[in-house]
Amino acid sequence: MPKIVASRDIACPPERLWDLMSTVRLRSHWDLSVRSFCRHGAEGDIANTRLHYQAPLLGSISWRWEGIYVTYDRPARSVVKMISGSWCRPFKRLAGSWVMRQAASGAQLDLIVQFESRIPLATRFMVRRIDRMLNQSLERLDRLVLDVEGSDGQ
């Protein structure tokens, strides 16, 4: 399975960054892999929580998937695995991770996606697309942190 990793140092303490990233209403503002998101259950409750995503496919076409926590260690690591998806899902298997470490500037964040494509010939295209999407999401998250932290200080 391909593994795509995008990393960035973000000027925000890890606990605060985790809070922003975990805020359901903000998720689609920074995460380009999510058009809409909802959590059924308590954040981090591995046994009883289901995560529901609507994700972009091509253009305005979306696909839906449901995930579960495999790992939840706030604010260091979270792993979500796809357990079901709509008929037009591009993946046989999908897992996404957040890995966060303390850094001199605040937090070092890795966004990681591993997948198995339903169409093997599309794998290289999907790797490039996911890599671009993860890096652009990190840029948007960095801007969101600046906006939120700036407005908190006013």
Side-chain angles (χ1 to χ4, degrees):
M1 285 195 336
K3 179 179 180 179
I4 303 100
V5 180
S7 300
R8 189 176 187 109
D9 285 352
I10 298 181
C12 185
E15 287 279 342
R16 177 71 174 133
L17 182 57
W18 192 277
D19 289 343
L20 287 171
M21 292 173 66
S22 299
T23 302
V24 171
R25 68 178 174 73
L26 294 177
R27 185 68 181 269
S28 62
H29 292 280
W30 67 267
D31 188 343
L32 291 173
S33 71
V34 174
R35 288 207 172 129
S36 66
F37 169 73
C38 66
R39 182 186 309 115
H40 294 252
E43 178 187 348
D45 180 359
I46 291 177
N48 300 309
T49 298
R50 294 291 185 263
L51 308 161
H52 299 272
Y53 300 85
Q54 181 180 6
L57 187 59
L58 290 173
S60 62
I61 300 170
S62 299
W63 66 287
R64 295 182 181 278
W65 64 282
E66 180 180 1
I68 59 170
Y69 288 115
V70 175
T71 302
Y72 191 89
D73 181 17
R74 183 181 195 276
R77 180 181 194 83
S78 174
V79 179
V80 173
K81 167 178 93 167
M82 179 179 73
I83 58 170
S84 65
S86 57
W87 67 270
C88 63
R89 72 187 181 282
F91 306 108
K92 282 185 189 176
R93 292 186 291 175
L94 174 66
S97 306
W98 298 347
V99 178
M100 200 175 310
R101 293 172 292 288
Q102 184 72 45
S105 64
Q108 181 184 0
L109 174 62
D110 297 340
L111 299 180
I112 304 164
V113 172
Q114 290 182 277
F115 71 91
E116 181 181 354
S117 176
R118 290 178 66 191
I119 305 167
L121 293 174
T123 299
R124 287 199 310 176
F125 165 77
M126 293 168 81
V127 165
R128 286 191 306 271
R129 185 166 186 245
I130 291 168
D131 181 66
R132 184 173 53 248
M133 193 176 289
L134 292 178
N135 281 293
Q136 289 174 347
S137 293
L138 286 171
E139 289 174 18
R140 289 176 73 158
L141 180 60
D142 205 4
R143 285 194 304 270
L144 177 66
V145 166
L146 292 172
D147 291 347
V148 170
E149 295 297 304
S151 66
D152 285 352
Q154 293 179 1

